[in-house]
Amino acid sequence: MTNKTPSSSFSSYWQAWRGPGAWNFYFLVKFGLLWAGYLNFHELKNLAFLVFLLLPIKSDRLHRIRQWVAIPIGFGLFWHDTWLPGPESILSQGSQVAGFSTDYILDLVTRFINWDMVGAFFVLFVGWLFLSQWIRVTVFVVLAMVWLNVLNIAGPAISLFPATAAGTTAPAAAVRASASASGSPVIIGDIPAQTAPANSANISDWLNTFYSSEAKRKTPFPASLPEDSQPFQVLIINICSLAWSDIEETGLTAHPLWSHFDILFKNFNSATSYSGPAAIRLLRASCGQSAHKNLYQPAGEQCYLFDNLAKLGFPMHLMLDHNGQFGGFLKEVQENGGVSVPLMDQSKLPVNLLSFDNSPIYDDTAVLERWMNTVPGNERNATFFNLLPLHDGNHFQGNSKTADYKLRAQKLFDELDAFLTQLEKSNRRVMVIVVPEHGAALRGDKMQVSGLRDIPSPSITHVPVGVKFIGMKDPHQGAPIEINSPSSYLAISELVVRSLDGKNFVADHVDWNALTSGLPQTAPVSENANAVVVEYQNKPWVRLNGGDWVPYPQ
């Protein structure tokens, strides 16, 4: 019997080393995407996968089994390294995606194909085939992987050259304060201080402080109106898929609509990138911003804007230019938003567009005319009107292709501008508030393709908010008053409270400075079910599925 020495056993074992083979190309592609900033690369997990592929196995059968096992692991790890929606998000949105039309689904799929990137991958593939004849590519792959792990050993997974800021037009929120002795964030004014170094633990601590602070904030409504108060109407127009970035992308920043307002919020954060949560947040504007998970739990009675108005003699009205069935939007507005009244009659309204699920979207001019003919103009009342013509995937009747966004936006802006002019010619006193839900993500970025809104990026949640007072004795003159401080829904509620007595409508002189100064400020924090984006020390950070915070890639 021949006894093998340890050295011979080791030599035999080493001879079974085959290298990762074609998996080298897999890692080269990842390195290229990481260098370009398209990956949220997880170094240790990728190193473990590489070691799994490199581990010598003598048995050919076991080696083949490993190759087959590696395919789903490699695919899952690649998906995990991208910014694409995770399984939780896909499952949560699955029922809604099932409602999309086939043409719209195909349109979404084609947006994920970047032909420039496909060409670059082809060149890389040919280069790898050519060089691997003379060079051990595995050596470079292993060295690069080890270097990446050493480079980021003390921090969370980030891109190779992380961006310092995201492409957003929102002005930076300058918050100057000092930290407490314990190092935890302190609150001076409306926004918690951000003095601790920007790392995952500190940003999480700051976010917890933010939500604790917001839970204590509310707009105090009076128990009753003064006897000399003047009746007027509140009309809130909630537009789906409109952000400053979309307006800039379509070249409509100079549209007359924006100069028609008395007050224009230039740094307003919608706090989410989905319709249902956005509507709930707006309708609960009288309390500070809550975490996403709390939106579908009952809030305090003082939080519901329309309920607060109803208690003061402003009956509720609910109006949509769509049926509100997709995603249970109408139900969410009524049950979670506190607008517990029936939907205004939509019979015989002309159809303007078909939605992404082929349901009708009614002509907004016709809907607004019905509002004027149905809701009394000489009484107090409050109306919530949600508009859908700008949503991705909407198309004209007889044409399944998504209608041009600029064409739809131009039409909507013209209609709203004409409506304001029509109101001015009427005898109504109306406080009109235009608040978009979120943007359309026309541009897209390195995290999400155009139209994808799973992550509430700054360019999606930075929306234009305009306020117009119709029927004033002393109307505002000149350009709109711009509110440039970081704002969100609490500022809208406060503006409504300051106008509740209606005296500004009959005043010989309106103190616009008193009306608009010192409105509540809110830090830019945006959240969906599986993603949170915050602005920390004037830079955007993102956290996916409860993981580490990473800089939002530019």
Side-chain angles (χ1 to χ4, degrees):
M1 183 175 180
T2 304
N3 294 323
K4 293 184 178 180
T5 64
S7 60
S8 63
S9 297
F10 179 79
S11 177
S12 174
Y13 186 72
W14 180 251
Q15 289 174 359
W17 182 81
R18 295 177 173 88
W23 288 103
N24 277 326
F25 177 69
Y26 168 90
F27 289 107
L28 290 175
V29 168
K30 279 192 171 183
F31 295 155
L33 291 173
L34 176 60
W35 178 81
Y38 284 97
L39 287 186
N40 179 31
F41 195 72
H42 298 81
E43 300 83 8
L44 185 57
K45 293 178 182 178
N46 278 272
L47 178 60
F49 182 50
L50 179 58
V51 171
F52 169 73
L53 295 170
L54 287 173
L55 189 66
I57 297 179
K58 294 182 179 181
S59 170
D60 291 338
R61 181 173 176 272
L62 291 178
H63 174 71
R64 287 192 296 269
I65 291 175
R66 177 174 62 180
Q67 293 298 314
W68 284 107
V69 171
I71 292 175
I73 295 176
F75 178 83
L77 183 57
F78 204 116
W79 189 287
H80 184 57
D81 281 337
T82 70
W83 302 106
L84 293 171
E88 302 90 345
S89 178
I90 294 173
L91 290 174
S92 65
Q93 300 294 326
S95 59
Q96 297 190 26
V97 174
F100 291 171
S101 66
T102 303
D103 290 318
Y104 182 44
I105 292 177
L106 291 175
D107 182 26
L108 290 175
V109 171
T110 57
R111 295 182 195 179
F112 283 91
I113 303 175
N114 185 322
W115 292 109
D116 290 337
M117 195 170 290
V118 170
F121 288 162
F122 178 73
V123 172
L124 179 63
F125 179 70
V126 174
W128 167 71
L129 288 177
F130 180 75
L131 294 175
S132 61
Q133 299 179 76
W134 300 282
I135 300 175
R136 283 191 173 273
V137 179
T138 301
V139 175
F140 294 97
V141 169
V142 171
L143 289 176
M145 190 68 70
V146 171
W147 177 70
L148 286 171
N149 275 269
V150 171
L151 182 68
N152 295 292
I153 194 169
I158 58 175
S159 60
L160 188 59
F161 298 106
T164 57
T168 174
T169 55
V175 181
R176 294 181 175 87
S178 59
S180 64
S182 64
S184 60
V186 296
I187 303 169
I188 297 181
D190 293 338
I191 300 176
Q194 298 179 341
T195 53
N199 59 46
S200 195
N202 289 338
I203 296 175
S204 292
D205 289 342
W206 178 86
L207 182 62
N208 292 332
T209 302
F210 168 80
Y211 281 132
S212 297
S213 171
E214 290 294 301
K216 302 173 184 176
R217 304 177 74 190
K218 66 178 181 178
T219 309
F221 277 70
S224 62
L225 296 177
E227 292 184 1
D228 59 347
S229 61
Q230 302 295 314
F232 70 99
Q233 298 174 279
V234 177
L235 174 60
I236 296 183
I237 300 177
N238 192 212
I239 304 175
C240 178
S241 302
L242 178 65
W244 283 116
S245 62
D246 304 317
I247 298 171
E248 294 166 359
E249 187 74 8
T250 53
L252 295 174
T253 52
H255 192 281
L257 173 64
W258 308 117
S259 60
H260 210 146
F261 293 109
D262 299 325
I263 304 169
L264 195 60
F265 288 82
K266 300 299 291 290
N267 193 11
F268 191 97
N269 182 47
S270 70
T272 184
S273 57
Y274 283 132
S275 298
I280 296 172
R281 290 187 182 280
L282 171 58
L283 294 171
R284 295 184 180 183
S286 300
C287 284
Q289 183 172 325
S290 68
H292 176 86
K293 63 181 180 180
N294 295 332
L295 295 179
Y296 298 93
Q297 301 295 327
E301 290 185 6
Q302 72 276 14
C303 297
Y304 297 94
L305 176 61
F306 273 68
D307 188 52
N308 288 331
L309 288 170
K311 292 175 181 177
L312 295 173
F314 290 80
M316 304 179 197
H317 296 275
L318 176 57
M319 190 165 58
L320 307 177
D321 68 356
H322 54 99
N323 60 26
Q325 298 305 307
F326 185 83
F329 180 82
L330 176 58
K331 183 179 179 181
E332 290 187 359
V333 167
Q334 293 172 324
E335 296 184 0
N336 300 110
V339 186
S340 53
V341 294
L343 179 63
M344 189 177 293
D345 179 38
Q346 296 180 326
S347 61
K348 298 182 181 180
L349 286 172
V351 176
N352 174 33
L353 295 161
L354 294 181
S355 182
F356 44 86
D357 64 348
N358 287 324
S359 61
I361 299 174
Y362 302 108
D363 182 78
D364 290 305
T365 296
V367 178
L368 289 167
E369 287 180 353
R370 180 160 295 184
W371 174 81
M372 294 188 70
N373 295 329
T374 304
V375 179
N378 57 351
E379 301 176 2
R380 292 185 181 91
N381 51 68
T383 302
F384 177 76
F385 178 28
N386 182 264
L387 289 73
L388 200 63
L390 302 185
H391 195 287
D392 194 33
N394 292 349
H395 54 281
F396 294 109
Q397 299 180 70
N399 187 348
S400 61
K401 183 180 179 181
T402 299
D404 179 67
Y405 181 92
K406 182 177 181 178
L407 183 66
R408 288 179 282 146
Q410 178 77 51
K411 181 178 185 296
L412 178 61
F413 296 172
D414 290 346
E415 289 175 328
L416 292 178
D417 192 49
F419 171 68
L420 293 178
T421 301
Q422 183 182 4
L423 277 181
E424 289 170 332
K425 296 177 181 179
S426 69
N427 294 320
R428 292 174 181 258
R429 297 171 183 166
V430 190
M431 181 182 185
V432 181
I433 308 174
V434 175
V435 189
E437 299 173 354
H438 53 72
L442 290 183
R443 289 177 180 167
D445 56 30
K446 290 184 176 180
M447 292 191 74
Q448 299 179 114
V449 298
S450 174
L452 190 63
R453 295 178 281 105
D454 196 65
I455 300 171
S457 67
S459 63
I460 296 175
T461 61
H462 179 217
V463 300
V465 172
V467 181
K468 179 68 179 178
F469 290 89
I470 305 292
M472 276 186 163
K473 184 178 180 180
D474 178 36
H476 181 261
Q477 304 294 328
I481 300 169
E482 294 187 356
I483 309 296
N484 292 303
S485 56
S487 307
S488 198
Y489 302 106
L490 199 64
I492 293 176
S493 180
E494 175 65 25
L495 200 56
V496 170
V497 167
R498 294 183 184 185
S499 308
L500 277 176
D501 59 14
K503 293 181 181 179
N504 281 331
F505 287 94
V506 297
D508 293 328
H509 173 71
V510 177
D511 189 344
W512 289 97
N513 183 60
L515 181 64
T516 60
S517 62
L519 290 172
Q521 298 185 24
T522 304
V525 174
S526 302
E527 185 177 4
N528 289 340
N530 302 295
V532 188
V533 177
V534 305
E535 185 176 296
Y536 192 84
Q537 296 180 352
N538 298 330
K539 299 175 183 179
W541 292 74
V542 58
R543 182 178 69 187
L544 302 180
N545 302 312
D548 288 320
W549 291 95
V550 298
Y552 195 98
Q554 186 173 1

